[in-house]
Amino acid sequence: MVNLVLFGPPGAGKGTQSEKLIRKYSFVHISTGDLFRWHTKNDTALGKRVKEIMNSGALVPDEITIAMLKEELDKNPQAKGFLFDGFPRTVAQAEALDQFMKNNGSAIHHVIALDVTEEELRARIAKRRTVENRPDDQEEKLNKRITEYFSKTIHVLPYYKKQGRLHTIHGIGAIDEIFDAICAHLDKKQKV
Ligand code: AMP
């Protein structure tokens, strides 16, 4: 079992690369952003709690996010491996994830960070806004999301770096080239 965290700021290409990775390696894909969007769309109790927070571009509190993640892990006991996309976004989430993995006799084997400049991110999200119409891609929400990334989420990187699990990949260029760089790293490190 190989578990991967795909890390990067909003607009770094995590969703696009995740789709390609799950096709190639049959990971169970866990995107906390997609899960929250499912809950808000279906107006569940959780959806009602997080809707305003998400629309503001802020992070959902750890307690709610970690509980939802745990539930998702428990639903997939037969998974060959997990790909975490958009989680962890705080050090507390990273610690909780390590603990869950450890409890299941497993671990996070790879953390791949997509490195993209802030300027490129803003340009990409402006483009995505016209295609997907996500309310949290509007300008002031976008500013908040980028601020949340650089004030909270970025601290997750040294957490993994210290443990020698972090691998950074240049996230600007052709989608397939970035994908090949990720696969080369995964294939070199360990058979998936
Ligand atoms: P994403 O699609 O991953 O950019 O997530 C969309 C929104 O969902 C974020 O702006 C947050 O409001 C919320 N969210 C997703 N994942 C997390 C997380 N790991 N921790 C806190 N909030 C999250």
Side-chain angles (χ1 to χ4, degrees), residues 28-87:
V28 171
H29 180 209
I30 299 194
S31 157
T32 42
D34 285 351
L35 290 168
F36 282 133
R37 275 185 288 281
W38 184 88
H39 280 282
T40 54
K41 195 170 151 221
N42 290 282
D43 208 24
T44 65
L46 176 59
K48 288 188 175 77
R49 280 179 83 188
V50 303
K51 189 172 181 182
E52 287 305 311
I53 304 171
M54 283 182 77
N55 284 346
S56 76
L59 292 184
V60 174
D62 283 337
E63 177 205 332
I64 298 177
T65 308
I66 291 168
M68 179 180 75
L69 190 276
K70 169 86 168 58
E71 206 172 289
E72 213 50 35
L73 288 178
D74 291 346
K75 276 188 207 161
N76 290 285
Q78 309 297 338
K80 266 179 61 194
F82 290 101
L83 190 169
F84 297 97
D85 160 9
F87 185 98

Side-chain angles (χ1 to χ4, degrees), residues 8-158:
K14 298 187 298 293
T16 306
Q17 296 298 335
S18 291
E19 274 177 33
K20 294 172 75 69
L21 287 164
I22 54 178
R23 269 204 300 276
K24 176 161 179 177
Y25 296 108
S26 309
F27 288 116
V28 171
H29 180 209
I30 299 194
S31 157
T32 42
D34 285 351
L35 290 168
F36 282 133
R37 275 185 288 281
W38 184 88
H39 280 282
T40 54
K41 195 170 151 221
N42 290 282
D43 208 24
T44 65
L46 176 59
K48 288 188 175 77
R49 280 179 83 188
V50 303
K51 189 172 181 182
E52 287 305 311
I53 304 171
M54 283 182 77
N55 284 346
S56 76
L59 292 184
V60 174
D62 283 337
E63 177 205 332
I64 298 177
T65 308
I66 291 168
M68 179 180 75
L69 190 276
K70 169 86 168 58
E71 206 172 289
E72 213 50 35
L73 288 178
D74 291 346
K75 276 188 207 161
N76 290 285
Q78 309 297 338
K80 266 179 61 194
F82 290 101
L83 190 169
F84 297 97
D85 160 9
F87 185 98
R89 263 164 146 113
T90 63
V91 173
Q93 292 181 13
E95 288 169 348
L97 182 59
D98 275 342
Q99 194 57 52
F100 294 150
M101 291 288 126
K102 200 170 159 198
N103 293 348
N104 290 335
S106 190
I108 295 297
H109 304 93
H110 303 289
V111 179
I112 293 186
L114 296 174
D115 189 23
V116 179
T117 59
E118 194 170 331
E119 194 186 13
E120 171 77 12
L121 293 177
R122 289 180 188 279
R124 285 187 191 179
I125 296 193
K127 196 170 156 204
R128 181 167 81 185
R129 191 190 300 149
T130 60
V131 181
E132 291 183 21
N133 193 27
R134 277 173 53 168
D136 57 351
D137 278 347
Q138 290 153 15
E139 185 104 33
E140 71 276 24
K141 319 279 167 61
L142 169 61
N143 283 333
K144 177 71 180 164
R145 292 170 69 213
I146 292 182
T147 306
E148 290 286 76
Y149 178 80
F150 287 104
S151 65
K152 296 177 185 161
T153 306
I154 200 108
H155 301 300
V156 176
L157 288 175

Side-chain angles (χ1 to χ4, degrees), residues 173-188:
I175 289 172
D176 284 338
E177 277 172 24
I178 297 167
F179 179 64
D180 289 346
I182 298 174
C183 296
H185 176 72
L186 293 178
D187 295 343
K188 179 181 73 186

